[in-house]
Amino acid sequence: NTKSQDLDSVNSFSHIVKWERGPKGVIRVYSRKGDIWGLYRNWEPGQRIQGDDMGSLVYDMVAIITEYDEHIGVFVKPLVKVEG
């Protein structure tokens, strides 16, 4: 189930990402095997949260364990905190 989201900001990522230019100037961003991403819980495409509201978002850190596939997306593995 592939989902997409339109962004009008260039600083939406905290690291260099793999991307390609699609039709009509669309930029497609793909996670890569070995990347670490934060996945927001209860996030809805098109939802806009800015400024102080960003601190209220809850997210899970995951490791991308497969390369992106157009038909199935990617598989991820959750990262958990350990004492130390």
Side-chain angles (χ1 to χ4, degrees), residues 12-73:
S12 297
F13 300 96
S14 61
H15 59 285
I16 296 173
V17 295
K18 177 183 175 184
W19 64 276
E20 67 180 35
R21 189 173 305 277
K24 299 182 182 178
V26 170
I27 303 295
R28 296 182 178 136
V29 176
Y30 300 102
S31 53
R32 294 182 287 189
K33 183 177 181 179
D35 281 353
I36 305 297
W37 285 70
L39 298 181
Y40 289 103
R41 296 181 189 180
N42 303 321
W43 182 263
E44 297 293 329
Q47 181 179 359
R48 300 216 182 259
I49 298 177
Q50 298 177 1
D52 294 337
D53 293 335
M54 293 296 290
S56 66
L57 296 176
V58 178
Y59 60 91
D60 296 305
M61 298 301 294
V62 298
I64 308 299
I65 59 172
T66 61
E67 292 296 334
Y68 174 80
D69 179 277
E70 183 177 341
H71 302 289
I72 60 173

